[in-house]
Amino acid sequence: SMLGTKKHPSYVLTLLSESSISADFIGKLAQTLEMYSVRVDALSRLSESTLRTIEMNVSAEFALSSEAERSFRTALYSFGKEHSVDVAVQKESILRRAKRLVVMDMDSTMIQQEVIDELARYAGVYEQVEAITHRAMGGSMDFNESLRQRVSMLRGSPASTFDQVIKNLVYTEGVKDLCRALKRLGYKLAVISGGFTAITNHVKQELKLDYAFANTLEVGEDGIFTGRTQGPIVNAQRKADLLQTIAQQEQISTDQVIAIGDGANDLPMLGTAGLGIAFNAKPAVQAAASFRINQRRIDSVLYLLGFSEAELRSLTRL
């Protein structure tokens, strides 16, 4: 059967590419699977006119230990990477398609900017701040410390620069379609960001999200940034905690949660979700994540749930 038995566990491989996937690639992929005694049971095309998106149902001859499963995932990811094809490996289960909550990072995930760098641009400290952001997102610097340093450089800047940043927001391709499709399917949506509430609240309204959590930049009576944040810092651990809090409030098990992010501060959140996806993430983050998508459009996440391109189109139609 599709779900396999305890003896023959089943997996779903989702192959995503910006260009057509060749027969040669599929042949070589089958050889890689054979090394793990995994055979292909079925192959279906999710994309319409091209072979850009393929779903494969495979089953293992023997149950893979969690270590073997990790090595299997990594082997397929590395093999795909050489050919610019994302290969996502999910255990087939009744809950694979029955997800109910999607939690997303904002900066460089839902939007194509790092908000703090944009605020720094107006404050005339872009280069200094951007360098720290780069280190923090790559995982080579403590997030709280990096936030403290960057926020202090904004001191003296008017809070009205938020309006400038909002005016120039660049949404990731496919994010509006993704949110529209998920809302139609009855999902709850959340943005959890190490960025700032002024922006997440705007994005929440624009994309009709259910929850938005982020850091609060303190503004003095004079409407000027004080160079400090207020309240608990939304760092890596707090992102993961907030995911669990929302899931509990909605009475959704973490197996039914999808998390999407790109920075080192997203890893605990990605690890907490049933499906944690590193989206166009920093190299260190890709290496540590179980699922990685390197596609231009963020709505390609929906292919991991088994939706076809035609289904996506009807879900996002206005």
Side-chain angles (χ1 to χ4, degrees):
S1 79
M2 285 271 288
L3 290 180
T5 58
K6 274 277 184 285
K7 229 172 67 229
H8 301 291
S10 290
Y11 297 88
V12 175
L13 272 48
T14 312
L15 316 183
L16 303 171
S17 171
E18 295 285 2
S19 56
S20 213
I21 297 168
S22 67
D24 179 54
F25 175 84
I26 297 201
K28 285 187 181 141
L29 178 63
Q31 285 169 6
T32 309
L33 295 175
E34 258 166 46
M35 286 163 36
Y36 290 87
S37 306
V38 171
R39 62 160 194 270
V40 178
D41 299 325
L43 217 133
S44 56
R45 188 174 79 178
L46 299 179
S47 45
E48 288 181 296
S49 46
T50 60
L51 276 181
R52 286 203 349 258
T53 316
I54 294 172
E55 185 174 271
M56 289 172 100
N57 299 90
V58 306
S59 52
E61 210 164 307
F62 316 101
L64 299 175
S65 69
S66 58
E67 208 163 303
E69 196 173 292
R70 197 170 310 126
S71 124
F72 175 55
R73 266 180 214 279
T74 308
L76 292 183
Y77 161 65
S78 311
F79 170 71
K81 205 173 166 188
E82 284 166 41
H83 299 83
S84 305
V85 178
D86 290 331
V87 181
V89 181
Q90 297 178 74
K91 251 199 173 95
E92 182 58 294
S93 79
I94 237 73
L95 288 183
R96 175 176 80 93
R97 299 183 69 152
K99 300 287 191 271
R100 297 175 55 199
L101 166 65
V102 176
V103 173
M104 292 172 274
D105 166 50
M106 180 174 69
D107 297 24
S108 300
T109 299
M110 298 180 79
I111 62 174
Q112 288 298 295
Q113 296 126 313
E114 291 287 335
V115 165
I116 195 153
D117 296 355
E118 298 308 309
L119 290 169
R121 205 186 285 282
Y122 295 106
V125 288
Y126 178 78
E127 258 129 46
Q128 301 91 301
V129 167
E130 195 268 340
I132 299 174
T133 300
H134 185 74
R135 285 174 57 201
M137 291 303 111
S140 61
M141 183 179 184
D142 173 65
F143 182 81
N144 288 21
E145 181 50 29
S146 77
L147 186 70
R148 201 186 58 72
Q149 287 184 21
R150 290 176 293 169
V151 167
S152 71
M153 293 183 203
L154 299 177
R155 188 176 155 204
S157 216
S160 58
T161 50
F162 271 139
D163 302 333
Q164 297 298 119
V165 173
I166 286 171
K167 218 167 59 198
N168 296 310
L169 277 185
V170 178
Y171 285 98
T172 300
E173 235 179 291
V175 76
K176 292 177 180 175
D177 283 343
L178 174 66
C179 294
R180 190 182 302 133
L182 291 168
K183 295 284 351 170
R184 284 212 170 144
L185 292 164
Y187 279 67
K188 294 291 177 190
L189 304 182
V191 57
I192 302 181
S193 167
F196 304 109
T197 47
I199 311 292
T200 52
N201 290 339
H202 172 80
V203 167
K204 175 180 182 239
Q205 259 182 317
E206 280 286 290
L207 301 178
K208 302 186 174 53
L209 310 178
D210 301 282
Y211 296 91
F213 292 99
N215 293 304
T216 304
L217 266 188
E218 189 179 71
V219 178
E221 312 251 294
D222 50 4
I224 303 289
F225 292 136
T226 63
R228 291 187 299 270
T229 56
Q230 281 173 305
I233 286 184
V234 179
N235 55 18
Q237 188 50 52
R238 187 150 160 77
K239 280 189 163 197
D241 294 344
L242 284 166
L243 179 151
Q244 288 187 299
T245 304
I246 297 170
Q248 276 164 358
Q249 195 170 323
E250 294 287 347
Q251 297 178 315
I252 293 172
S253 81
T254 50
D255 288 347
Q256 291 182 280
V257 180
I258 298 172
I260 310 169
D262 73 296
N265 61 325
D266 292 313
L267 278 169
M269 174 175 91
L270 299 183
T272 306
L275 180 60
I277 301 167
F279 178 70
N280 293 325
K282 317 296 177 273
V285 180
Q286 293 210 26
S290 296
F291 303 96
R292 316 142 179 106
I293 289 187
N294 295 295
Q295 303 292 314
R296 222 177 47 243
R297 294 184 63 90
I298 193 169
D299 53 355
S300 49
V301 164
L302 292 165
Y303 290 125
L304 269 62
L305 299 176
F307 289 105
S308 70
E309 197 177 339
E311 288 170 324
L312 256 63
R313 241 209 344 271
S314 63
L315 277 171
T316 54
R317 211 171 272 135
L318 279 168

